[in-house]
Amino acid sequence: GLKEHFNEVTPILADSGIQGLFFLISGCVQDRTVAPVHMNHFLMAHLDFAKYQELFLGALQNAGFDNSICEGLDATIYKRTYPRDCEEVARFKYLFNFILDSGLRDRIVKDLFESWVAPQRQFSEELYLSWSEAREMQQAGMIIGGHSHTHRPLSKLTGKELEFDLETCWNLITANLLPQARWPFCYPYGKKIGRAHV
């Protein structure tokens, strides 16, 4: 659900008679927040990775987190999860997305993001679609689906958290978008905890 999908991609697809399929993180659109996974990516792009990792791990340590857990992560899992990244980046992304408590991780990455990149709300408005832009994409022939409300790995959520996330996503997209014959869903990450993949 990125703004460039509206500005750049949709006109090309519509002119070519091709129907595109786009997925929204409903919380980013509704609440004008930036998904932690996106904050992580923009911080890695904005700062030298070594500096960013040092800042992030330092903040974790100050919060009482034992950073030695990083050394105990199974390299075969994080390399398989992020095969296009170097080992150090793959390990960090795996720690960030699958190991850390989301509340602690989100507080730290938000503070770093707003210190080094931009205020979250302003950045979100520039990065993600609005509901009206998503409707315009539908009118141009595109299909819009859900990509969860919070973009957390669904396999890490409790039953109540999962129900809340999916129901909130469903309720927001169906209330704010035009009717569609089908409402596709693309779940975040596509990975179970441990060795098995879904």
Side-chain angles (χ1 to χ4, degrees):
L2 303 179
K3 184 126 4 216
E4 66 187 19
H5 296 161
F6 171 73
N7 292 328
E8 309 295 334
V9 180
T10 295
I12 294 170
L13 294 177
D15 287 347
S16 302
I18 299 171
Q19 185 175 62
L21 182 56
F22 299 87
F23 297 94
L24 305 180
I25 303 171
S26 58
C28 296
V29 180
Q30 182 70 16
D31 303 327
R32 285 310 184 198
T33 57
V34 179
V37 67
H38 292 156
M39 286 192 256
N40 190 43
H41 282 246
F42 280 104
L43 280 160
M44 283 192 277
H46 186 75
L47 298 171
D48 173 74
F49 173 72
K51 179 179 178 64
Y52 169 50
Q53 181 176 235
E54 179 184 348
L55 289 168
F56 188 91
L57 294 179
L60 270 180
Q61 193 166 23
N62 290 340
F65 184 81
D66 180 7
N67 287 337
S68 66
I69 194 171
C70 300
E71 304 307 318
L73 296 176
D74 186 338
T76 59
I77 295 175
Y78 62 72
K79 285 180 183 178
R80 186 173 62 224
T81 305
Y82 299 104
R84 293 178 181 85
D85 290 308
C86 70
E87 184 168 347
E88 188 176 25
V89 172
R91 182 175 62 231
F92 182 80
K93 286 168 76 172
Y94 187 78
L95 173 75
F96 186 94
N97 291 320
F98 295 101
I99 302 300
L100 293 177
D101 169 75
S102 62
L104 174 61
R105 176 203 69 187
D106 294 356
R107 286 192 302 275
I108 291 172
V109 77
K110 179 181 180 287
D111 288 345
L112 291 173
F113 185 84
E114 295 198 331
S115 295
W116 291 94
V117 180
Q120 185 176 190
R121 183 174 186 86
Q122 171 194 333
F123 197 88
S124 176
E125 289 174 355
E126 296 171 5
L127 180 64
Y128 300 112
L129 295 170
S130 66
W131 292 118
S132 62
E133 289 166 338
R135 288 191 296 271
E136 285 187 52
M137 290 171 68
Q138 288 179 293
Q139 289 169 333
M142 305 301 121
I143 298 292
I144 306 291
H147 191 44
S148 81
H149 187 66
T150 59
H151 201 277
R152 289 175 59 196
L154 300 185
S155 60
K156 288 195 70 175
L157 302 182
T158 66
K160 286 187 177 183
E161 289 172 331
L162 181 62
E163 184 177 358
F164 172 80
D165 189 284
L166 299 181
E167 280 190 3
T168 303
C169 180
W170 168 253
N171 290 336
L172 284 170
I173 65 173
T174 55
N176 288 284
L177 299 179
L178 303 174
Q180 294 181 165
R182 290 181 173 77
W183 291 97
F185 183 82
C186 179
Y187 54 90
Y189 304 105
K191 183 181 184 310
K192 285 186 177 178
I193 303 305
R195 296 182 183 277
H197 290 258
V198 292

